[in-house]
Amino acid sequence: MSKKPLETCASFGRDNLAKYIAITWFNYNSQRQPKIELWKELRNYIFATDTTTTTNKSLPWKNSTTLPKLCQIRDNLHSNYISALFPNDDWLKWEAYSKSDATKAKVSAIESYMSNKTREGHFRTETSKLLYDFIDYGNSFATVDFEASYVTDRNGDKKIDFIGPRLRRISPLDIVFNPISATFKDSFKIIRSLRNIGELRMMAEDEPDNAYLRKALLDRDRMMAHMNAYGIEEGDKSEGFMMDGFGNYSEYLQSGYVEMLEFWGDIHNEDTGVVERGRVVTIIDRMYVVRNEAIPSWAGSAPIFHTGWRTRPDNLWAMGPLENLVGMQYRIDHLENLKADAMDLAVLPPLLIKGEVEEFEYKPGAEIHIDENGDVTELARNVQWVIQSENAIQALEQRMEMYAGAPREAMGIRSAGEKTAFEVQQLQNAAGRIFQEKITTFEIEMLEKVLNAMLETACRNLDRTDVIRVMDDDLGVQQFVQITKDDITASGKLRPIGARHFAAQAQLVQNLTGIWNTPIGQMIAPHTSTKQLAKLVEDVMGLGRFSLFSPNVAIFEQQETQRLMNQAGEDLQVEQSMGPEVPQ
């Protein structure tokens, strides 16, 4: 499989690598500007409170109402996606590649550690942001890093706030790559970020591995010290292009922000023929290299991951579910305001005034004084088509739900017609296939890769014993377990199974219910193990931690209940035979 490295040449001059990375960012970002404009239009429709902030503002209507259908579809998709990914606490499983890594102790240590870090590191919250990118932009980007943060109490002692791997969202507007690569992994990536000086100083002080940030601060201080020796025009000439969002170069330097471009991937020098594989290069101000080292990941590839909603042929930039619905949203708002204006004209129509008519106020009971040949006539309008426009709006909204892969049944709205419970479940599963395919893709291409990168990052950076809180399934109590690097180092894979388990559970319950409600269920009943059936229900419904099922437990509990009832009856008979006590 061919990879796409960054092409450079030695003849570009001093700091050529920094300038090549900067120019590559500028070129790729400029080429996608038409797409960014489409994203901005979609964003305006999603968050619009009226049509004055959308492309509908050009229509000559008095009313400016917007029906937030795109926003409703977005919220519907997000709520169903997040619920499918995290249906319960047991959404994460470890699959070992060797017998030694499949022991109960190893599996428990890895699953407990990752469950704790995803919970304490706000993994669900960050995943929610990725899902919004998945819906709004059609593309989600994420990376992982290892964080060690501390807090200082009032006694001056440093205490651990969080130590472990953490998921980080990357905005689709802050990353560029080669979209014609075979896969996202094969392309180089350039990520842009803005940080103020104080933030950089804090990061440089808190993390010993962030020595390159101290170099970045020194370069910025040296640049600011000599900035007054040059004019604004000289600064513009030295840079050659405008900084994103800061005007000219001099204004950018005085803004208090530092622009950082991080390059991840391979570099090929056309002049020397040398290929540097797996490099991470950080530049500031599009001029100075402050870090150039091998990617620290054990896999040697960038820990940056991408997934798309609707993939394109020969283009890694995917399409979102809402992008081709903007025109329908435009049409809905057009019809709504056209209808509202027509109703206004029907209630308060224009007046045809003929001849000499005194000035009057148009209201109920108003008196109008006219001359002999004068007249005031309402210009009535036929508003029967207003009802048709209302039906057209409803039809458009239903089609938008269908096109986005969000069936109405997902919101608890049942389609028309009498149906049995089995038919309802069957129709809902069929209608939700687009939804299920999209969320399963997100789970496999994003969450699975991210979780395994988090585990690899933890194995590589954990240099101390970490204490985590876990729930003992047998005792039903919380315990504090010490985890070391060796405990979580293993050969295998973490698999998020929330969305796939959600679909399989619905299908399995539907099939079992259908079988047992037919004569076939009665025929196979004598050959069915109720103990194994209880285990199946416990697994499918996720009831293991409640210990509801055990062999013949109901018989023993009934026996215990009967024993207590018999004992209580005997005690009552003894009390009645003795009669009331006579006071002395």
Side-chain angles (χ1 to χ4, degrees):
M1 185 172 291
S2 61
K3 293 191 174 183
K4 301 293 183 182
L6 176 69
E7 299 289 343
T8 65
C9 64
S11 60
F12 198 83
R14 184 177 177 270
D15 289 324
N16 68 88
L17 182 57
K19 292 183 174 64
Y20 260 107
I21 292 175
I23 290 177
T24 302
W25 162 268
F26 180 78
N27 290 337
Y28 275 76
N29 191 49
S30 299
Q31 291 168 5
R32 64 172 182 168
Q33 283 304 309
K35 188 62 178 178
I36 292 178
E37 293 301 319
L38 294 177
W39 287 342
K40 289 166 62 177
E41 181 184 15
L42 173 60
R43 181 185 61 192
N44 291 340
Y45 270 106
I46 290 175
F47 297 103
T49 56
D50 55 56
T51 58
T52 58
T53 58
T54 68
T55 50
N56 260 297
K57 65 182 179 181
S58 60
L59 296 178
W61 308 125
K62 176 182 178 182
N63 290 275
S64 59
T65 302
T66 182
L67 299 179
K69 188 59 184 179
L70 281 178
C71 184
Q72 179 266 326
I73 295 176
R74 176 183 188 256
D75 294 341
N76 182 25
L77 285 174
H78 179 267
S79 61
N80 283 277
Y81 283 160
I82 198 73
S83 298
L85 289 174
F86 306 103
N88 50 52
D89 293 337
D90 298 325
W91 59 274
L92 181 63
K93 297 295 181 183
W94 167 256
E95 293 184 355
Y97 289 164
S98 64
K99 185 176 181 180
S100 60
D101 295 325
T103 61
K104 182 178 180 181
K106 180 69 71 173
V107 172
S108 177
I110 294 176
E111 290 184 355
S112 299
Y113 178 81
M114 290 302 299
S115 177
N116 177 269
K117 295 310 173 185
T118 54
R119 183 175 60 255
E120 299 296 329
H122 306 292
F123 183 87
R124 190 181 188 277
T125 302
E126 205 69 11
T127 301
S128 176
K129 299 177 183 178
L130 294 176
L131 286 173
Y132 277 125
D133 289 341
F134 192 58
I135 298 168
D136 296 348
Y137 300 99
N139 298 269
S140 292
F141 300 91
T143 185
V144 299
D145 55 23
F146 193 84
E147 179 181 314
S149 57
Y150 303 87
V151 294
T152 304
D153 59 17
R154 54 186 174 184
N155 297 325
D157 299 328
K158 291 181 64 176
K159 294 185 177 181
I160 297 175
D161 181 39
F162 178 83
I163 294 181
R166 191 186 287 271
L167 171 65
R168 305 285 188 188
R169 166 190 175 260
I170 300 175
S171 171
L173 300 176
D174 292 335
I175 184 172
V176 298
F177 52 92
N178 192 334
I180 63 173
S181 296
T183 64
F184 180 75
K185 181 180 179 180
D186 295 331
S187 172
F188 62 83
K189 299 93 178 169
I190 303 177
I191 303 173
R192 177 179 180 266
S193 60
L194 284 176
R195 304 184 185 277
N196 59 41
I197 302 297
E199 184 181 2
L200 287 181
R201 294 192 189 280
M202 293 175 63
M203 293 173 62
E205 294 173 357
D206 293 342
E207 294 293 335
D209 294 337
N210 289 344
Y212 72 95
L213 295 179
R214 291 188 284 273
K215 184 177 185 303
L217 291 170
L218 291 175
D219 288 342
R220 169 51 72 92
D221 292 341
R222 184 175 64 254
M223 190 185 310
M224 293 296 293
H226 296 283
M227 187 183 67
N228 294 331
Y230 302 93
I232 294 178
E233 294 77 9
E234 296 296 326
D236 291 341
K237 292 179 182 178
S238 66
E239 182 60 17
F241 53 85
M242 307 296 284
M243 284 291 171
D244 290 341
F246 290 99
N248 61 48
Y249 191 56
S250 178
E251 292 173 346
Y252 158 73
L253 291 177
Q254 299 179 55
S255 67
Y257 283 87
V258 176
E259 185 198 49
M260 303 181 68
L261 294 178
E262 284 189 339
F263 171 90
W264 299 76
D266 304 328
I267 302 174
H268 173 235
N269 192 306
E270 296 178 353
D271 293 341
T272 63
V274 176
V275 177
E276 298 182 78
R277 299 181 181 272
R279 306 298 295 180
V280 52
V281 182
T282 303
I283 67 173
I284 65 167
D285 303 329
R286 305 196 180 185
M287 297 178 65
Y288 301 110
V289 176
V290 296
R291 177 174 61 163
N292 186 351
E293 60 188 33
I295 294 176
S297 172
W298 286 345
S301 57
I304 303 171
F305 310 100
H306 165 249
T307 187
W309 197 87
R310 180 183 288 125
T311 57
R312 305 174 189 267
D314 305 320
N315 188 349
L316 292 179
W317 282 107
M319 184 179 185
L322 306 181
E323 290 184 34
N324 53 4
L325 302 182
V326 173
M328 300 180 74
Q329 177 69 56
Y330 180 96
R331 180 67 177 170
I332 286 176
D333 290 346
H334 170 77
L335 290 175
E336 177 64 25
N337 290 293
L338 183 67
K339 180 186 68 175
D341 281 2
M343 293 297 295
D344 290 344
L345 290 173
V347 176
L348 296 173
L351 301 177
L352 174 61
I353 300 177
K354 183 172 65 175
E356 294 293 331
V357 179
E358 295 184 5
E359 185 177 353
F360 64 93
E361 183 178 357
Y362 188 55
K363 65 178 182 179
E367 294 183 358
I368 305 176
H369 300 279
I370 60 177
D371 291 339
E372 181 178 355
N373 295 324
D375 189 18
V376 177
T377 306
E378 289 185 348
L379 297 180
R381 291 290 185 269
N382 184 4
V383 295
Q384 184 177 1
W385 62 268
V386 171
I387 301 177
Q388 298 178 356
S389 66
E390 182 70 28
N391 296 333
I393 291 174
Q394 294 180 3
L396 283 171
E397 290 182 335
Q398 293 176 0
R399 291 164 65 183
M400 290 174 71
E401 292 270 2
M402 180 179 62
Y403 295 158
R408 290 169 60 83
E409 285 79 3
M411 297 191 302
I413 301 175
R414 182 176 173 179
S415 56
E418 285 294 329
K419 305 178 185 67
T420 64
F422 178 74
E423 290 173 333
V424 171
Q425 185 69 41
Q426 187 178 27
L427 289 174
Q428 184 171 349
N429 289 342
R433 282 173 183 161
I434 295 177
F435 160 80
Q436 188 59 49
E437 185 272 331
K438 298 303 181 183
I439 194 58
T440 301
T441 299
F442 183 90
E443 187 176 58
I444 295 174
E445 295 186 0
M446 177 59 73
L447 292 194
E448 187 169 305
K449 295 179 181 179
V450 162
L451 287 167
N452 286 281
M454 290 174 64
L455 181 60
E456 183 271 337
T457 302
C459 294
R460 183 162 39 86
N461 292 279
L462 188 62
D463 56 0
R464 56 186 298 170
T465 300
D466 198 355
V467 179
I468 63 173
R469 183 179 59 185
V470 298
M471 176 66 72
D472 189 293
D473 294 333
D474 297 329
L475 301 178
V477 297
Q478 290 183 351
Q479 292 184 339
F480 293 89
V481 180
Q482 292 185 345
I483 299 294
T484 63
K485 181 177 181 177
D486 294 336
D487 293 331
I488 59 176
T489 303
S491 174
K493 177 184 290 187
L494 285 166
R495 294 185 68 233
I497 60 171
R500 282 165 283 183
H501 181 72
F502 176 81
Q505 170 184 320
Q507 187 66 38
L508 182 59
V509 171
Q510 172 188 322
N511 293 339
L512 283 176
T513 304
I515 289 175
W516 289 109
N517 288 334
T518 63
I520 297 178
Q522 299 176 3
M523 296 171 60
I524 65 176
H527 311 289
T528 303
S529 170
T530 54
K531 292 183 180 180
Q532 297 302 322
L533 186 60
K535 290 182 179 179
L536 183 145
V537 173
E538 182 181 57
D539 179 70
V540 169
M541 305 302 293
L543 303 174
R545 65 182 183 275
F546 298 108
S547 301
L548 290 179
F549 304 102
S550 60
N552 300 312
V553 64
I555 297 176
F556 295 113
E557 290 182 353
Q558 291 173 6
Q559 181 183 13
E560 180 183 1
T561 301
Q562 188 62 46
R563 184 182 297 112
L564 292 175
M565 291 175 62
N566 294 339
Q567 183 63 44
E570 292 178 2
D571 293 343
L572 181 60
Q573 290 179 2
V574 171
E575 293 177 1
Q576 290 176 349
S577 64
M578 294 179 62
E581 295 184 1
V582 179
Q584 299 288 337

